[in-house]
Each structure stands twice: as C-alpha cells, then as structure tokens.
Amino acid sequence: MKKGLAAVILAAGKGTRMKSALPKVLHPICGRPMLYYPLEAARASGFEQLKVVVGHGAEQVMEAFEDNNLTWVKQTDQLGTGHALMCAADSLRGYSGPLLLHCGDVPLLKAETLHQLQDYHSQHQAAVTVLTAQMPNPQGYGRIIRDGEQILQIVEEKDANEEQRQVTEINAGTYLFDTAFVLEALKGLKQNNSQKEYYLTDIVAAAVAEGKKTRALCVEDPTEVMGINDRCQLAEAEVLMRWKINADLMFGGISMVDPTTVYIDNGVEIGIDTMLHPNVHLRGKTTVGKNCIIETGVVVVDSQIADGVHLKAGSAIEESRIGHNCKVGPMAHLRPGSVLTGNNKIGNFVEMKKSVLGEKSQASHLTYIGDSEVGQNVNFGCGTITCNYDGVNKHKTTVEDDVFVGSDCQFVAPVTIGRNSLIAAGTTVTKDVPPDSLALARTEQKIIKGWRLRKQKKS
Ligand code: UD1
Ligand code: CA
C-alpha cells in the first residue's frame, strides 16, 4: 500500500444533463478538463493516494490524465454515488487514515477548504463530516437536515418533501469519513429512493442510527462548491474561474483594459507590466514575458513570448517562440514551429510555419515563409513566397545573413541563398545563389512607343 492520505474522486457518471458525447469530467474549464481541478485540490491539501472512479467513457478519461500517477477504479454500471465508493473499497484495503470523498464535477473547491475540512473532522472526531454551503438557490442539491451540530440526514431534491425543499443548506458532495466505518456502512445501503440508486448520502443516516457523530463544515462562499451538471453551470464556473485567473494576474502586475474579455488558461504565466487589450486569448502551455503589449483579437496557443514583444491586432500564434522585442501583426499567422530569434518584425498578412528567423530579420507584408532557415538582418520584400511543397514532399529554403529580397519573389525549394546577396524584385529563384551576388530572373521589359494611340485610332 502506498503511503499518504487517501482520497476517492468520483468521475464515472454519464453526465446526462450535459447532453454530450464527451464524458462530463472532460469538458474543459479555462483550458483544463474539469476533473483536473478536484484532483489538484486534493493533492494540494495533502492527499497523495488518489483513487479515481471511472465508468462512462473510462478509456477517454484515463487517457486524458495519462501521466498523473493516479489509481483508476472501474465502476461498470453507474448505480449511484454510494455504489461508486463501494467499487473503490478494494483499493482501500489496509488503509486506516481519514478518507476524503470528492466529486469530479465540483471544480471550484479550493485546497484551503479541504484543509479546513480535515481539521474540523479530526477536532470533532466524527464518523462523517460533510462539506455544506448556504445556497440562495438550492435546486438540484441534496439538503442537510440537522439537529444542532449533528447532521441527521441528507435528502436528495427528488426525494424531499415540501418542508425539506425549503432548506437552503446543501450537500457539496465532499466528505471526510472514518474509513473503517464507511466501508462497513456501505454494505447496508439500499436503492429505495426515487432514482433507484445507492446514495452515498444515506451514510449520514446510517451513522446516526449507530449513534455516531456526524458533522458539517459550511463554506463561506457557496460558489466554491458549485456542482457542474449542465452547460449553463459549466459556463458559470468558467466565468468565475476566469475572473480568479485574471484577478490574480492583475494583483501580480499585469494590466488588462477590460478583464471581462480576457481569456487566459489555467497555468499560463505572464511577466509584469504586460498589457492585455480586450478579446485576447492565451491558451495551453503559453508563457508571456515582461513589458509586452498584446492587442485585441490576438490568439496565442502553446507558445513562448519573450520580453518586450508587441503582438498587434488579430494575430494568431501556435506552438511558436517569439524572442525579445519582436513586433508581430496586425493579422499575422505564426503556425507551429515558427521561431523569431529577437528584434524581428513580422507585418500584416505574413504567414510562417516551421521556420527560424535570425535576429533583426523581417517580413513586413504579404509573405509566406515555410520550412525555412533564415539568418540575421534578412529583409523579405512584399509578397515573398517560399514554394516549399511540390505536391508530394516539403523542401527547405535556406537564406543566409544580410540577404535583401525585393518584392514579389518566389523561392522554389530546396534552394539556398548565400549571404549578402540581393534578389531582384519579381524573381523566381530556382537555383542556389552564391554569396554577395545579384539574382535576377524576369523577362526583360519591352517598350513599343505609340502603341496605344495606334490601337485607339483603329477602333
Ligand atoms: C450529488 C449528491 C447531492 C449533492 C451533489 C453535489 C448523491 C446521491 N447526491 O448529487 O446530495 O448535493 O452531488 O454536487 O450523492 N458518479 C459516479 N458513479 C455513479 C454516480 C455518480 O461516479 O454511479 C459521480 C459523477 O460522475 C459525479 C458525482 O459522482 O462526478 C456526482 O454525481 P451526480 O450524478 O452529479 O450527483 P448529483 O445529482 O449532483
Ligand atoms: Ca453533480
């Protein structure tokens, strides 16, 4: 048996109310699957042995958390939350510490609250300690029926009478149990309720019947224990989490013109004095340095942006690296594998893919650079195209330092342009260009004097 405190996280339910082919716990919130958050909260509050009960879409769920050092428990038929914990009983054999049970669809719960729940549970030496909240609108939640400090019963909405429905203290679906007690009591659960399920919540009444202590810790902020059952609640949770991410960043020295329209995934890092304009999306494994300006409509995915970078309106950047003091956009597209070393300028309607640009090289307008290695101080004129694809294979273009490329040139790859060469405007380069040369490939211009006048007279 592994050391450390044990927690069981329930994630086997179908999530019927989501009306989705994707298992509920995989629906993303601020860039991570919902289940990520309960797992992190449990870990951060000292639970090292995490047993996750999966059933509906089990393979998909396990795949999404491949490298996370978890114990997976299968619940083949979803017969209720009590049945889900029964399925984990074997994996808890020999464990005698307090047992945390937490739901995979409660993503906003903080680790601090789980700490408080542990303290409260051990102070009171209860058999069951339930996390609860006062919900202004308790609809859909189990209600807490108390006798002072002792919790007598949890009644599900569907089984509650009119009086019980008036109760606003609800069950968050998070508990600490005396492990030996709960594993024994589970055996006595019945399906005699409106949903014909084994309710975990019935453990409370079972404890009371045995004369044991049952307690509840009521959280201050009810939004923290919000359960996600449908897509409206999903969106609500996303708004709350997004606000928290943005608030933490602003307290940390990042400016946002309108934080209600800035979309930053969990885990994105940003340096101080960076300014984010409205409608900016920073997603996935993205980092942004200090003193950057990110203008409206910019989408950055899985990319590293260094200090002093200016990303102009409407640019899209994926799996790319942008070095110090670069200027990108407006409306530039950096596709996977683009590297700007530093002090580069990428202007409007420039697309890059799998290409490295050395220091100070630039492409200011209407250019495609793909599968290329470009040195320093290279200037691409308006309308430069690397013809990297012959219909079967991709080929590389190499442009050495200090090359000047005039407007409207094509490089038919594979091709190498030697350092300090000049490519004349309108040239289609099909052969390697030696260093320090001029490459010129266009038909010579003809002038026919008076041609227009003669034409006009005829008609
Ligand atoms: C449950 C509680 C309710 C509480 C609410 C808090 C019960 C009977 N009810 O209701 O008192 O107020 O959570 O959000 O426990 N699951 C399984 N296997 C199953 C059934 C569910 O793993 O057979 C998992 C689900 O994936 C989900 C969690 O358990 O993560 C809760 O299940 P759900 O059906 O959402 O319960 P609620 O109706 O919300
Ligand atoms: Ca739920």
Side-chain angles (χ1 to χ4, degrees):
M1 163 109 6
K2 278 195 259 172
K3 287 212 186 97
L5 294 174
V8 173
I9 316 284
L10 304 188
K14 185 156 186 234
T16 313
R17 291 162 277 184
M18 295 296 282
K19 304 205 172 115
S20 175
L22 188 69
K24 175 164 82 174
V25 294
L26 293 187
H27 277 262
I29 301 178
C30 295
R32 309 245 195 211
M34 192 188 301
L35 178 58
Y36 169 88
Y37 299 100
L39 295 176
E40 280 310 301
R43 255 198 206 113
S45 57
F47 292 88
E48 289 166 29
Q49 299 186 57
L50 300 184
K51 296 156 199 306
V52 189
V53 182
V54 286
H56 181 78
E59 298 303 319
Q60 233 178 316
V61 176
M62 293 189 295
E63 233 169 71
F65 289 88
E66 247 168 359
D67 41 35
N68 264 337
N69 194 21
L70 305 162
T71 306
W72 299 101
V73 174
K74 287 266 178 74
Q75 185 194 23
T76 315
D77 297 309
Q78 284 77 59
L79 304 179
T81 47
H83 179 254
L85 181 53
M86 280 179 218
C87 295
D90 273 353
S91 76
L92 291 164
R93 202 164 287 149
Y95 176 71
S96 56
L99 177 67
L100 170 70
L101 186 126
H102 187 23
C103 289
D105 64 349
V106 181
L108 300 179
L109 191 69
K110 294 185 193 132
E112 293 108 270
T113 305
L114 289 179
H115 267 303
Q116 286 167 14
L117 186 66
Q118 282 180 70
D119 291 346
Y120 194 85
H121 180 72
S122 64
Q123 273 163 25
H124 289 260
Q125 304 223 320
V128 186
T129 303
V130 186
L131 190 68
T132 69
Q134 286 291 345
M135 282 278 179
N137 173 12
Q139 207 194 345
Y141 291 96
R143 308 295 208 281
I144 303 295
I145 311 299
R146 283 178 179 259
D147 177 13
E149 274 197 304
Q150 180 83 343
I151 310 303
L152 299 179
Q153 194 189 0
I154 299 174
V155 192
E156 289 306 294
E157 164 111 5
K158 286 179 179 152
D159 303 294
N161 61 35
E162 206 36 57
E163 191 189 338
Q164 290 167 331
R165 263 184 218 165
Q166 301 308 313
V167 174
T168 51
E169 188 180 9
I170 62 95
N171 169 25
T174 300
Y175 322 76
L176 269 170
F177 292 117
D178 173 315
T179 306
F181 159 73
V182 74
L183 293 182
E184 195 51 39
L186 281 174
K187 295 176 186 161
L189 287 188
K190 303 240 159 40
Q191 292 162 286
N192 53 356
N193 51 59
S194 65
Q195 304 189 78
K196 301 280 174 287
E197 286 184 356
Y198 294 100
Y199 285 171
L200 183 59
T201 45
D202 288 347
I203 290 295
V204 170
V208 173
E210 283 187 37
K212 300 208 180 265
K213 259 194 197 174
T214 55
R215 290 290 179 269
L217 177 72
C218 189
V219 293
E220 256 170 50
D221 174 9
T223 59
E224 214 190 307
V225 301
M226 163 181 185
I228 310 303
N229 295 321
D230 58 44
R231 297 198 199 220
C232 282
Q233 290 168 327
L234 179 71
E236 244 177 272
E238 169 107 22
V239 169
L240 291 166
M241 196 173 289
R242 192 192 311 141
W243 179 258
K244 168 137 199 340
I245 289 174
N246 290 354
D248 286 349
L249 286 167
M250 289 186 287
F251 285 126
I254 285 91
S255 287
M256 299 184 192
V257 176
D258 178 2
T260 60
T261 64
V262 172
Y263 305 83
I264 301 175
D265 279 354
N266 174 288
V268 169
E269 288 168 23
I270 308 179
I272 61 164
D273 288 324
T274 281
M275 161 67 89
L276 305 179
H277 287 256
N279 273 313
V280 162
H281 295 247
L282 304 177
R283 299 196 191 132
K285 293 191 184 86
T286 290
T287 57
V288 178
K290 299 182 282 192
N291 296 311
C292 293
I293 300 171
I294 306 192
E295 290 183 10
T296 194
V298 169
V299 179
V300 183
V301 183
D302 295 332
S303 297
Q304 285 70 56
I305 315 291
D307 297 342
V309 169
H310 187 167
L311 302 179
K312 299 182 190 176
S315 296
I317 294 149
E318 308 148 58
E319 293 171 42
S320 292
R321 268 195 356 246
I322 301 187
H324 54 100
N325 303 323
C326 288
K327 292 183 175 29
V328 176
M331 265 97 49
H333 187 188
L334 303 194
R335 291 166 50 205
S338 300
V339 178
L340 306 183
T341 306
N343 291 305
N344 302 100
K345 189 178 161 214
I346 294 297
N348 44 199
F349 308 110
V350 173
E351 174 180 343
M352 276 183 72
K353 185 216 89 173
K354 221 174 156 188
S355 295
V356 180
L357 239 58
E359 279 266 338
K360 290 190 183 156
S361 288
Q362 56 180 37
S364 297
H365 351 252
L366 296 158
T367 287
Y368 173 59
I369 303 169
D371 301 297
S372 303
E373 200 181 313
V374 179
Q376 304 180 9
N377 297 310
V378 170
N379 180 76
F380 290 104
C382 177
T384 301
I385 299 170
T386 55
C387 311
N388 57 329
Y389 186 48
D390 59 12
V392 183
N393 294 308
K394 299 279 167 70
H395 300 283
K396 186 174 169 185
T397 301
T398 305
V399 182
E400 294 177 358
D401 296 349
D402 305 313
V403 167
F404 185 92
V405 182
S407 295
D408 189 28
C409 289
Q410 298 84 46
F411 296 101
V412 181
V415 73
T416 296
I417 316 298
R419 70 174 302 279
N420 199 37
S421 304
L422 192 147
I423 313 297
T427 295
T428 300
V429 181
T430 52
K431 289 180 270 187
D432 287 353
V433 177
D436 306 310
S437 358
L438 168 71
L440 177 78
R442 56 191 185 214
T443 43
E444 220 171 301
Q445 184 170 316
K446 265 194 218 161
I447 301 285
I448 303 172
K449 284 202 174 144
W451 181 90
R452 188 89 203 273
L453 287 177
R454 288 199 295 279
K455 265 273 183 227
Q456 284 162 346
K457 250 185 220 162
K458 263 191 201 166
S459 59

